[in-house]
Amino acid sequence: MAKKKLDEKADHSDIVRNEDGSSNEEEPNFSDPEGYVDDVSDEELLGELLRQKPQETDGVESVIVVDGVPVVGPDRLEKLKSVVNKLFTKFGHIVNEYYPVNEKGFTKGYIFLEYTSPVQAAEAVKHTNNHKLDKTHTFLVNLFTDFSKYEKISDKWEPPEPQPYEGQGDMHYYMLEPDAYDQFCVVNGPGRSVQIWQNTQPDPTCIQDRQTWTWSYVKWSPLGTYLATFHQLGIALWAGPNFTQYKRFSHNSVQFIDFSPCEKYLVTYSPQIDTDNPDQKRIIIWDIRTGLEKRSFDPEGPSAWPIFRWSQDDKYFARIGTDVLSVYETSSFYLLDKKSIKIPGIRDFSWSPTDNVIAYWVAEDKDVPARVILLEIPNRAEIRSKNLFSVADCKIHWQKSGDYLCVKVDRYAKVRKEKSEYKYSGMSYNFEIFHMREKQIPVDSVECKEPIQAFAWEPVGSKFAYIHGESPNICVSFWGIRVGLAPVQLKKFEKRACNHLFWCPNGQYIVLAGVGSSGGGSLEFVDTKEFLVMNTTDHYQMSDVEWDPTGRYVVTGVSVWKTKVDTGYWIWSFQGKILKRINQEKFAQLLWRPRPKTLLTEAMQKEIKKSLKKYYPQFESKDRMRQSRASKELIEKRAALMEKFSQYREKRVREYNEHKPRRLALRNNVDTDELDADTENVEEEIVEFFIKEEITMLD
């Protein structure tokens, strides 16, 4: 319409052309004719610009009010601003900030922050309200416009309308399986497919099969609630009967993750440094329930993953630095008591799996011996320490139930002093065993003069095993611990081809495995109750060994990440009997779904073990039903094939009988199909014809 009006105005201009085609153009007249009324609105002409017109409330809606801010003087104001900006700039750019002060220059406990848009302000209010800055300060954050909104609230109360409840579904549905079948996850090739299987008998059942479900690999949460998948933009958690997406955590190029023991928090780590993003966050701790970021960190020097290690109740997490141990509390995600623990020479640490106790060791320093220290958190009290001499290295191993702690110590065997310097030659090894449940935590020592290749505690029990020696004289020793007595050697297997130990989750049974190219894939299934070798076998090029949570099955796998041929996985019974061989191209990973801790008390578990005999008939009956079910399925399959053949035969017989009149007409009414029944009406005729003639000359 606007174009039409302009064309009409242009018609009023006069153009005079000469004979040679040139124009003698007069100045156009764009004035409206007399009585003309313009019916084009400003919205039609300038709609986009008018929508960007500043409004009176734009600045107000982008302002938030933060209450509960610490009251500080002018000397600490800049530090306060840096802390506040670090928290609130996560949600957008702050264009203005105002810190009201009194006549003495002290802040008044509240501040005003203005973002570039109301959306950023709303996000800041949503994620920072009730944020605990420290033990005495908690932020109360509101939009500035909320104050006028609350002033207009009617004095007459009206009950809110009930909202429909949307549950998350049964997150532990798999625990209700009547026959207690466990689940396991199989990853085929990086980025190909991910399958969830149920370990039904006699054959596993696939319950999920999704293509490109993960970018690299997958990981179960410690209690089996979530399945984590990796993607270029971050991590996704899946849960529920249909494995629907539970939460997403944005973290570019994330390669490592770690769950807290109670599944409250998730740690993501991106080791790649993005030069184009100076504000890149390398380590982020997330709240799994809300999906919010709790705090981010930068790695300090080279350190093994996981960088952060968690207490058994998710209340604390810690990391090691140069001569310092930093312990954080999850209530505020800041340092415990606002300071790190200075420990000169600290090398490694580990949390107890059942108590808030940290075990760490300190290296030797000139004439000061190395030490192993047990530190109680949060009071930081040393409950036990042990001096060690001529130490080269230590490894800390907690028993799963927290009853015992083993510190494997590598020592220099011979020490001699030359020109005020110590010279070492040779190595010796020993285990320092801490009895955590006994008074004053006594320590026993077990010595070994040969190199230690592997060590493992029995998860439920008081035994431990270790592999020692060098090829071809590799041995496996088993030791037992008794209350008030020194450890005693229970058994020693000599000349074994293994380099890893895999205990059954319930104890008693162990697999001695040769993992990797050096191990040759050897497998030895041992019952440590009588130290009976139940089976000796192998799985060539084996790269992984996984027990199921019940301790009834073992899976060995050959991963495509280790080799390109003969990839796949085999399922064994705990006695070493092969049950299934699954050869899969580009098989990458198999993980059993963990189970949460049992709700039965120790007394209830003991009672069940005592009365197992009365349950045997039920188990045997189910086993027979499974076998008969398998036989029944085979019989049904054969019967179906027989029925199909019978139907096909009957169809052909009917066609044969229907075509019989036509055959008789073609054969002069002679039924040649019934020759055996009636041969009188058949005339026989012998026909001879010349085929070939050969002449052979004889000498």
Side-chain angles (χ1 to χ4, degrees):
M1 184 180 292
K3 183 178 182 299
K4 180 180 179 182
K5 298 297 181 182
L6 292 175
D7 291 341
E8 291 176 357
K9 292 181 180 181
D11 290 340
H12 294 281
S13 61
D14 296 326
I15 300 177
V16 180
R17 294 190 177 273
N18 300 324
E19 293 180 357
D20 59 357
S22 61
S23 63
N24 186 13
E25 183 177 344
E26 297 181 1
E27 184 178 352
N29 181 14
F30 289 103
S31 60
D32 295 329
E34 186 176 353
Y36 174 77
V37 178
D38 191 355
D39 57 354
V40 181
S41 64
D42 293 339
E43 183 66 27
E44 292 182 74
L45 289 174
L46 306 171
E48 292 295 329
L49 294 176
L50 289 176
R51 279 190 284 273
Q52 299 176 12
K53 179 181 178 181
Q55 299 180 8
E56 184 179 353
T57 59
D58 280 351
V60 177
E61 291 179 349
S62 302
V63 176
I64 64 172
V65 183
V66 184
D67 202 357
V69 179
V71 177
V72 299
D75 55 333
R76 300 182 61 190
L77 182 59
E78 290 302 322
K79 184 177 181 180
L80 174 63
K81 288 183 177 181
S82 65
V83 172
V84 171
N85 287 337
K86 186 176 181 180
L87 174 63
F88 286 93
T89 51
K90 297 177 182 178
F91 312 101
H93 179 62
I94 299 176
V95 295
N96 286 311
E97 60 181 22
Y98 178 57
Y99 289 73
V101 296
N102 58 19
E103 61 277 1
K104 295 183 179 180
F106 284 82
T107 58
K108 294 184 177 181
Y110 59 90
I111 61 174
F112 299 88
L113 301 176
E114 182 182 357
Y115 286 93
T116 54
S117 71
V119 176
Q120 297 174 354
E123 284 293 310
V125 172
K126 178 181 177 181
H127 294 125
T128 60
N129 190 32
N130 293 319
H131 174 78
K132 189 173 182 181
L133 182 64
D134 52 36
K135 290 184 178 180
T136 58
H137 296 89
T138 301
F139 287 158
L140 300 177
V141 187
N142 292 279
L143 293 171
F144 186 80
T145 54
D146 287 345
F147 291 91
S148 59
K149 181 178 69 174
Y150 296 145
E151 289 177 354
K152 298 177 182 178
I153 293 178
S154 174
D155 295 335
K156 184 180 179 181
W157 180 79
E158 295 181 359
E161 295 182 2
Q163 299 295 324
Y165 173 73
E166 296 181 1
Q168 296 179 348
D170 188 359
M171 307 290 276
H172 296 282
Y173 72 97
Y174 58 96
M175 297 297 297
L176 302 177
E177 218 304 305
D179 294 319
Y181 291 135
D182 285 287
Q183 295 180 2
F184 60 89
C185 179
V186 176
V187 180
N188 294 315
R192 288 193 64 187
S193 70
V194 179
Q195 299 171 336
I196 308 295
W197 291 81
Q198 194 167 36
N199 192 32
T200 53
Q201 298 299 323
D203 296 313
T205 304
C206 183
I207 58 178
Q208 289 285 334
D209 187 355
R210 302 185 187 179
Q211 300 296 318
T212 63
W213 199 357
T214 184
W215 184 43
S216 54
Y217 62 101
V218 300
K219 186 172 182 177
W220 292 105
S221 59
L223 304 181
T225 308
Y226 310 106
L227 177 68
T229 57
F230 290 72
H231 308 274
Q232 182 67 35
L233 299 179
I235 299 295
L237 296 187
W238 310 80
N242 298 320
F243 286 92
T244 56
Q245 191 175 99
Y246 178 76
K247 283 288 187 300
R248 290 183 299 176
F249 304 93
S250 298
H251 193 177
N252 286 337
S253 302
V254 60
Q255 295 185 16
F256 300 97
I257 66 170
D258 185 41
F259 289 90
S260 63
C262 299
E263 300 184 341
K264 293 181 180 178
Y265 306 103
L266 173 69
V267 185
T268 60
Y269 174 42
S270 176
Q272 297 180 357
I273 299 177
D274 188 357
T275 55
D276 297 332
N277 183 13
D279 298 329
Q280 177 192 12
K281 298 176 181 179
R282 304 283 300 284
I283 305 174
I284 304 177
I285 301 180
W286 307 85
D287 187 312
I288 292 179
R289 185 180 63 84
T290 62
L292 301 179
E293 176 185 331
K294 304 303 291 185
R295 190 173 175 186
S296 61
F297 297 85
D298 287 324
E300 297 179 357
S303 55
W305 183 258
I307 296 175
F308 290 101
R309 303 173 193 178
W310 294 84
S311 65
Q312 47 87 27
D313 55 3
D314 283 10
K315 289 185 177 180
Y316 309 98
F317 61 98
R319 71 171 173 178
I320 192 172
T322 304
D323 296 336
V324 68
L325 178 64
S326 301
V327 181
Y328 301 82
E329 52 185 349
T330 54
S331 58
S332 64
F333 280 85
Y334 282 91
L335 287 170
L336 180 65
D337 297 333
K338 297 184 179 181
K339 59 181 179 181
S340 299
I341 307 172
K342 293 184 179 180
I343 308 174
I346 185 172
R347 291 293 183 268
D348 194 13
F349 78 100
S350 179
W351 286 92
S352 165
T354 55
D355 304 286
N356 287 340
V357 174
I358 292 178
Y360 67 90
W361 76 278
V362 179
E364 290 182 89
D365 184 16
K366 297 181 181 179
D367 295 331
V368 179
R371 297 177 69 203
V372 175
I373 300 170
L374 298 178
L375 189 68
E376 199 171 46
I377 300 296
N379 54 22
R380 305 189 182 191
E382 290 188 10
I383 58 177
R384 188 68 165 89
S385 64
K386 172 75 174 178
N387 291 338
L388 305 171
F389 298 91
S390 305
V391 175
D393 191 19
C394 289
K395 291 290 185 293
I396 301 172
H397 303 275
W398 283 96
Q399 190 214 27
K400 185 178 179 181
S401 58
D403 296 336
Y404 303 101
L405 167 67
C406 173
V407 179
K408 183 180 79 71
V409 184
D410 299 347
R411 300 177 183 271
Y412 298 107
K414 297 179 181 179
V415 183
R416 66 180 186 274
K417 190 173 183 180
E418 295 181 1
K419 297 180 181 180
S420 70
E421 292 184 359
Y422 290 100
K423 300 293 183 179
Y424 302 96
S425 62
M427 297 291 292
S428 65
Y429 311 89
N430 71 296
F431 303 99
E432 304 293 336
I433 310 297
F434 292 74
H435 298 248
M436 299 300 298
R437 306 303 181 196
E438 297 182 34
K439 189 176 181 180
Q440 296 182 348
I441 311 181
V443 181
D444 291 319
S445 183
V446 175
E447 186 177 358
C448 180
K449 295 182 180 180
E450 298 176 323
I452 308 297
Q453 294 193 23
F455 174 93
W457 280 104
E458 183 181 23
V460 180
S462 57
K463 293 192 289 287
F464 64 88
Y466 59 92
I467 302 174
H468 55 97
E470 296 179 347
S471 181
N473 297 318
I474 294 178
C475 303
V476 183
S477 295
F478 293 86
W479 289 70
I481 300 176
R482 296 169 293 177
V483 177
L485 299 175
V488 59
Q489 187 173 15
L490 303 175
K491 185 69 177 178
K492 182 179 180 180
F493 293 113
E494 297 182 348
K495 294 185 178 181
R496 285 324 198 248
C498 61
N499 53 20
H500 283 74
L501 302 167
F502 298 94
W503 281 97
C504 169
N506 298 324
Q508 184 176 344
Y509 304 102
I510 191 173
V511 175
L512 314 180
V515 179
S517 57
S518 61
S522 64
L523 289 167
E524 197 166 359
F525 295 81
V526 181
D527 182 355
T528 62
K529 187 175 183 179
E530 302 293 338
F531 291 99
L532 173 67
V533 178
M534 298 178 291
N535 190 21
T536 301
T537 181
D538 66 89
H539 186 178
Y540 181 63
Q541 290 190 328
M542 174 180 61
S543 59
D544 302 284
V545 179
E546 290 278 346
W547 280 91
D548 82 314
T550 64
R552 292 181 291 176
Y553 304 99
V554 182
V555 168
T556 59
V558 179
S559 174
V560 71
W561 293 332
K562 301 293 184 180
T563 182
K564 303 300 181 184
V565 295
D566 297 332
T567 56
Y569 60 94
W570 296 359
I571 302 178
W572 311 75
S573 71
F574 70 97
Q575 297 170 322
K577 179 182 177 182
I578 185 68
L579 302 177
K580 291 289 179 184
R581 288 185 175 93
I582 294 93
N583 297 320
Q584 271 186 355
E585 185 182 0
K586 295 189 177 181
F587 164 78
Q589 182 187 24
L590 186 147
L591 291 176
W592 289 96
R593 187 171 194 170
R595 288 186 173 188
K597 295 179 180 179
T598 179
L599 300 178
L600 301 177
T601 62
E602 292 186 5
M604 296 170 68
Q605 295 180 52
K606 289 181 179 179
E607 183 62 28
I608 292 174
K609 290 179 181 179
K610 288 181 181 179
S611 57
L612 271 179
K613 290 184 179 180
K614 73 177 184 180
Y615 297 109
Y616 285 160
Q618 300 179 24
F619 300 147
E620 291 176 356
S621 175
K622 285 190 174 183
D623 289 340
R624 285 194 299 270
M625 289 177 63
R626 291 192 189 102
Q627 294 176 1
S628 63
R629 189 183 306 146
S631 302
K632 183 180 178 182
E633 290 176 356
L634 182 60
I635 293 172
E636 290 177 352
K637 182 178 179 181
R638 290 177 176 175
L641 292 174
M642 188 63 186
E643 178 67 21
K644 184 177 180 180
F645 171 75
S646 299
Q647 292 176 359
Y648 176 80
R649 187 176 183 278
E650 291 175 359
K651 177 183 177 181
R652 293 306 181 190
V653 168
R654 286 195 304 269
E655 291 178 354
Y656 175 81
N657 294 330
E658 291 173 358
H659 297 161
K660 187 172 183 178
R662 178 61 176 165
R663 288 198 303 274
L664 292 174
L666 293 173
R667 299 172 185 175
N668 298 323
N669 292 323
V670 176
D671 190 358
T672 57
D673 300 326
E674 303 293 339
L675 289 178
D676 295 336
D678 184 11
T679 59
E680 296 180 357
N681 298 325
V682 179
E683 295 180 0
E684 292 185 3
E685 182 180 357
I686 299 175
V687 179
E688 296 180 359
F689 57 91
F690 181 77
I691 299 176
K692 185 178 181 182
E693 179 181 359
E694 290 184 0
I695 300 175
T696 303
M697 301 296 294
L698 298 176
D699 294 337

